[in-house]
Amino acid sequence: MRLIVTENYEEMSYSAAQETAKFIKENPELVLGLSTGGTPLGTYQELIKLHENENLDFSKITTFNLDEYIGLEPKHPQSYTRYTWDNFLSKVNIQKQNVHIPPGIFKDEKQVLKEYDEKILEVNGIDVQILGVGGNGHIGFNEPNQFLHPNTHITNLTDETIKDNSRFFLNIDEVPKQAVAMGVGSILRAKHIIFIASGDEKAEAVRKTFNEKITTHCPSSLLQLHANLTVILDKKAARLLN
Ligand code: GLP
């Protein structure tokens, strides 16, 4: 594991974007795993700048999102589909057919889950996964539990996650209770993971991720098993690390 501790959120974002760009330049056909939430917003802004100012090319890049809320239309302001297009993909030269985000509304659950995994397999898995962490150690929407899912599945969000994510909604009752989530197997099979976290509120999750034993009750602790992990933290998020 390579650890980079930066002064603040802006530097964390810059560093994560530079790291991602390095992989894109090495492999213009990179399969990039995308995370959502507040943490990667700055990274996406820096990647957009690299596209605008240095012609970083996304024309052959394929993306897979980690998750989507169940029950939200793609155009809903808080859907991860809308988030990803508004904050990143509509501002770079990606091809629409190369963008993969699980649907939040569907009839055939089994088919949706199977298709998402098949699409990931078809491109031989994720090359580089940009990954944040929930305050309770969730990755994507793989919530702490006795068992974790290797593949794409429907997940019930924990009360803690619903509360954390309610800051993006008008009120807590509007936060969906379930999501379609890529499994920990697909995440851990990513050839490289760029893990990002910032702020005091992530310090304990970061400590449990890297300084405690591996447990499904802190899904991010499974990252200790990954061979190609770059961890980029600001100093507040890193403050409890040994
Ligand atoms: C959501 C996403 C995760 C993300 C987490 C942390 O629940 N599904 O992928 O890592 O939130 O988000 P934030 O960066 O806003 O703290």
Side-chain angles (χ1 to χ4, degrees), residues 43-106:
T43 305
Y44 297 147
Q45 278 163 16
E46 292 293 338
L47 283 170
I48 293 165
K49 276 195 219 158
L50 288 170
H51 169 67
E52 287 171 350
N53 304 334
E54 296 178 29
N55 293 325
L56 185 65
D57 183 20
F58 291 82
S59 62
K60 293 186 189 135
I61 298 295
T62 295
T63 61
F64 281 89
N65 271 56
L66 285 168
D67 40 35
E68 180 58 286
Y69 287 117
I70 290 184
L72 299 193
E73 299 275 2
K75 63 176 189 308
H76 187 285
Q78 293 313 330
S79 82
Y80 285 157
T81 305
R82 175 91 179 259
Y83 166 104
T84 308
W85 281 104
D86 284 2
N87 293 305
F88 183 26
L89 297 180
S90 66
K91 296 174 177 146
V92 296
N93 63 331
I94 195 133
Q95 300 202 45
K96 203 169 179 228
Q97 70 269 22
N98 293 343
V99 173
H100 305 284
I101 307 175
I105 294 192
F106 45 82

Side-chain angles (χ1 to χ4, degrees), residues 35-40 66-67 69 80 131-135 138-141 161 165 167-168 202:
S35 176
T36 50
T39 310
L66 285 168
D67 40 35
Y69 287 117
Y80 285 157
L131 193 65
V133 64
H138 74 240
I139 45 176
F141 266 139
T161 297
N165 290 2
R167 69 190 195 278
F168 298 113
K202 291 291 167 73

